[in-house]
Amino acid sequence: KKGFIAFLLIFILCATLVTLSLTVFFKTEQVTVSGNTIYQSNEILETAGIKTGTNMFLVFDSAVKKQLLAKHPFIESVKLKRTLPDKIEIKITEATEYYCYEYAGQFFTASKDNRVLAKYSSAPAGLVNVSANSLTNLSVGKIVEFTNEEEKNYLIKLLSTLSDYKLEVTSVDVTDMLAIEVIVSDRIVVNFGGQTELEGKTAHLATLIKNLDENVRGSVNLSVWSPTKDEAYFVKDNLQ
């Protein structure tokens, strides 16, 4: 009986402490924003919807992130930093335009993870221009969609591989999957041929470009490259 009473008292004490912590203690009195240059802090605070007086630990990171990403596409990630007794900092990492897709007569920019950031009437300069046949339903804030899974999967793999080898890509064209074309540094046209041996072809290309004069222009044909035929030739020329 004494043990039961002790357990009951401990339970009541714990319940009281939990209730106090959720209703009396840790009330949010100050919310700040950091890392933002594109959106004003008051815009972010309004969208986040964190009310003064709300318990700090009842503000859920996932809910705030979902609200912010839905309304502000140039936000890439969101973290909440809580500082006792009453401060929450919304830490923003902003997305960067990296790719440009032409679709339905307009130009859609996307981040490196292929989330659409903005829509333009003309192509912005300085981005990787991507041409593909099966683009569909491009919408700001959403991941780039394709109707052809084969084209989508290869394109994602191609873009990732080119990035891994730190090639300065100007454009990528997968509209013909048997003659995939990449332009590097706005001066070297590369014919990858079909989808095979992507890793080996890219490694060979990176080595070849490293040994070229930085101002030379021309083309490289990798369409017949294979591990047993480890060759591809650079043809000096002007881009047409």
Side-chain angles (χ1 to χ4, degrees), residues 151-170:
E151 183 182 69
K152 170 189 171 181
N153 292 336
Y154 179 79
L155 178 59
I156 291 172
K157 185 178 179 181
L158 174 61
L159 294 174
S160 175
T161 304
L162 293 168
S163 177
D164 289 344
Y165 281 90
K166 296 179 171 55
L167 293 170
E168 297 179 4
V169 178
T170 305

Side-chain angles (χ1 to χ4, degrees), residues 184-230:
V184 179
S185 301
D186 203 26
R187 61 189 177 87
I188 300 172
V189 179
V190 185
N191 177 11
F192 273 78
Q195 302 177 49
T196 60
E197 305 294 348
L198 174 59
E199 184 76 26
K201 289 176 179 178
T202 308
H204 186 98
L205 175 65
T207 300
L208 188 153
I209 290 177
K210 187 177 180 181
N211 294 321
L212 290 176
D213 182 276
E214 64 179 15
N215 296 313
V216 72
R217 304 167 74 89
S219 60
V220 178
N221 188 348
L222 291 168
S223 61
V224 296
W225 188 97
S226 72
T228 57
K229 192 176 182 180
D230 185 13

